[in-house]
Amino acid sequence: MSFWAVSRGLTPPSKVVPMLNPNQRQFLEDEVRYREKLKLMARGDAMEEVYVRKQETVDDPLELDKHDSFYQTTKSLLVLFQIMGVMPIHRNPPVKDLPRTGYSWTSKQVMWAVFIYTCQTTIVVLVLRERVKKFVTSPDKRFDEAIYNVIFISLLFTNFLLPVASWRHGPQVAIFKNMWTNYQYKFFKTTGSPIVFPNLYPLTWTLCVFSWLLSIAINLSQYFLQPDFRLWYTFAYYPIIAMLNCFCSLWYINCNAFGTASRALSDALQTTIRGEKPAQKLTEYRHLWVDLSHMMQQLGRAYSNMYGMYCLVIFFTTIIATYGSISEIIDHGATYKEVGLFVIVFYCMGLLYIICNEAHYASRKVGLDFQTKLLNINLTAVDAATQKEVEMLLVAINKNPPIMNLDGYANINRELITTNISFMATYLVVLLQFKITEQRRIGQTQP
């Protein structure tokens, strides 16, 4: 092509620069540095300024357990998930070459989950049959009672999605747990200090207890506010509402842990910068930060189906409950039944706000805040190798944005809250227009 262009007096085309992903770029840079190091060794020159990425080694499982403070502090929530049959992952014995957390369809945790799910489904089917029977055979009931039936029938269907939305992603959840285990030990070997999660142990226990207490309170409030809501119905909804609360707690704990790990890495980096020739450590810190960003992406991938179902249930329930309460207030005025609907609305929107807000803060702490501290480093006071490492770390942050994504379905951030609210407002306006039009038509037909 170049010969053809030159023979005709044209400018030869420039060389096409290949586009590399961050892992390919790191591999290429390490290969180039390794060749430079070999040349320096062959000449007998000094090679302190040439660094290559360390080879991955198989860590001692006992050492992994010793430094796995995240598992120890959040073990109560994992055990609660196992008891409820929501996520039957298990801890493997400390054997070399065996991941510390595993998932197997033949494990005793899965067998227990199947047993609990069978018992729970039996109760759900009985309550669902009663709900559908009342919904079909009582067409003359008030509109708010029909809305209640629709809402609680939709909540019961989440029970049937549990094996598909949660159990099927068990291997991905095990990968995420192992990433946390390996990351903490790698952090300790690199920085010399462990990641400390202050107050995470009592917080996890508190959230476990609070999740069930909140479920009991919500169900009992519906029992007292609805005349046709029998007490034995609540036994079908206790584990479903508690499961939603526990998943919200799980998301909050992981987002809090990401912020703590990012802050610990930032503090270690600033301490290293003040030392002599910190370039080699910065190379390892860059790999630690990339691993942290990959863990955030794995969190969304592991729980994508469950949190996707979570958002759909919140969206549907909020629209139906809001429309039902406003419609009944227009028709018959405010009653205690409408208070029950508003309790459901505030509960659902509260869950959505916590999930989106915590994801926003985690992404900001790992991404923007960490990047800001890097940009505040005085590069004129460090050597050339350190300057290059800081620039490469900034490039890695730019190429690996710490985004909480549900496996490509949606990004979890504050924008999701405003998007949902705008969609809800649009649907509510359309439904209320039909309601007002129907009222006018009825008013015109009456003498």
Side-chain angles (χ1 to χ4, degrees), residues 376-444:
N376 290 331
I377 296 176
N378 184 12
L379 296 181
T380 59
V382 296
D383 55 359
T386 303
Q387 293 178 13
K388 184 177 180 181
E389 287 299 334
V390 171
E391 293 173 358
M392 292 176 63
L393 183 51
L394 289 171
V395 171
I397 295 174
N398 187 44
K399 296 296 183 181
N400 294 270
I403 298 175
M404 312 286 273
N405 183 275
L406 296 182
D407 202 15
Y409 291 106
N411 292 334
I412 307 299
N413 48 35
R414 284 180 174 176
E415 185 180 355
L416 184 61
I417 301 177
T418 57
T419 302
N420 275 346
I421 292 176
S422 63
F423 278 124
M424 292 174 190
T426 302
Y427 285 114
L428 285 174
V429 168
V430 173
L431 291 172
L432 289 175
Q433 285 176 343
F434 282 114
K435 180 70 177 180
I436 295 173
T437 302
E438 182 183 2
Q439 282 187 330
R440 289 177 179 175
R441 181 178 57 81
I442 295 174
Q444 293 174 357

Side-chain angles (χ1 to χ4, degrees), residues 288-336:
L288 284 175
W289 188 93
V290 172
D291 291 341
L292 186 63
S293 179
H294 288 172
M295 275 200 300
M296 294 184 67
Q297 298 170 17
Q298 180 63 24
L299 172 63
R301 189 178 302 112
Y303 297 100
S304 59
N305 284 359
M306 181 55 68
Y307 285 108
M309 180 196 71
Y310 202 97
C311 294
L312 290 177
V313 169
I314 289 175
F315 181 75
F316 176 78
T317 304
T318 304
I319 290 179
I320 298 298
T322 305
Y323 174 66
S325 58
I326 295 176
S327 178
E328 279 302 303
I329 291 174
I330 293 174
D331 290 341
H332 306 95
T335 62
Y336 285 110

Side-chain angles (χ1 to χ4, degrees), residues 9-233:
L10 302 176
T11 303
S14 59
K15 187 177 295 183
V16 178
V17 179
M19 297 296 293
L20 303 177
N21 63 41
N23 291 328
Q24 291 173 332
R25 185 187 296 274
Q26 288 179 358
F27 178 78
L28 180 60
E29 291 170 352
D30 292 341
E31 286 294 316
V32 172
R33 290 181 177 185
Y34 184 68
R35 292 181 182 180
E36 292 177 358
K37 186 173 183 178
L38 291 179
K39 291 180 181 179
L40 291 174
M41 291 175 63
R43 295 200 305 263
D45 297 336
M47 56 182 181
E48 288 80 4
E49 301 297 330
V50 181
Y51 308 110
V52 295
R53 187 171 190 175
K54 295 181 179 180
Q55 296 292 329
E56 294 290 338
T57 57
V58 178
D59 297 317
D60 184 4
L62 296 179
E63 289 294 324
L64 289 175
D65 284 348
K66 180 180 177 181
H67 297 91
D68 194 1
S69 58
F70 181 73
Y71 170 76
Q72 298 298 333
T73 54
T74 61
K75 184 179 179 180
S76 56
L77 187 58
L78 174 61
V79 173
L80 180 60
F81 275 142
Q82 291 175 342
I83 295 174
M84 295 172 60
V86 176
M87 182 50 63
I89 59 176
H90 59 270
R91 194 75 168 175
N92 288 323
V95 178
K96 201 169 184 178
D97 298 330
L98 183 66
R100 295 300 297 117
T101 304
Y103 181 86
S104 174
W105 289 100
T106 58
S107 64
K108 60 182 181 180
Q109 287 80 9
V110 173
M111 297 298 104
W112 170 259
V114 171
F115 171 73
I116 292 296
Y117 179 75
T118 303
C119 298
Q120 180 178 329
T121 303
T122 303
I123 302 175
V124 167
V125 169
L126 294 175
V127 175
L128 181 61
R129 186 178 62 178
E130 290 289 326
R131 283 284 185 181
V132 173
K133 183 179 179 180
K134 288 185 178 181
F135 185 76
V136 174
T137 60
S138 303
D140 297 332
K141 282 194 173 184
R142 289 181 52 173
F143 180 70
D144 58 347
E145 295 179 3
I147 289 296
Y148 272 118
N149 276 324
V150 170
I151 291 174
F152 284 99
I153 287 173
S154 65
L155 285 176
L156 290 175
F157 276 105
T158 60
N159 175 77
F160 302 104
L161 298 176
L162 181 62
V164 178
S166 182
W167 298 355
R168 190 171 67 89
H169 280 246
Q172 292 294 331
V173 176
I175 291 174
F176 173 71
K177 296 293 185 182
N178 288 320
M179 290 176 71
W180 258 120
T181 301
N182 296 326
Y183 183 83
Q184 291 173 96
Y185 187 43
K186 188 185 299 183
F187 185 94
F188 174 76
K189 291 194 297 185
T190 301
T191 65
S193 59
I195 302 177
V196 180
F197 300 99
N199 302 323
L200 193 58
Y201 181 80
L203 176 63
T204 305
W205 269 102
T206 302
L207 291 175
C208 290
V209 176
F210 180 74
S211 296
W212 270 93
L213 291 180
L214 182 61
S215 174
I216 295 172
I218 291 175
N219 283 284
L220 290 181
S221 68
Q222 300 305 314
Y223 167 70
F224 288 112
L225 292 172
Q226 298 182 60
D228 61 339
F229 195 97
R230 300 180 182 178
L231 183 60
W232 72 275
Y233 289 180

Side-chain angles (χ1 to χ4, degrees), residues 187 191 193 263-273 285:
F187 185 94
T191 65
S193 59
R263 185 165 54 252
L265 182 60
S266 176
D267 294 341
L269 185 144
Q270 290 181 339
T271 302
T272 302
I273 286 291
Y285 289 165

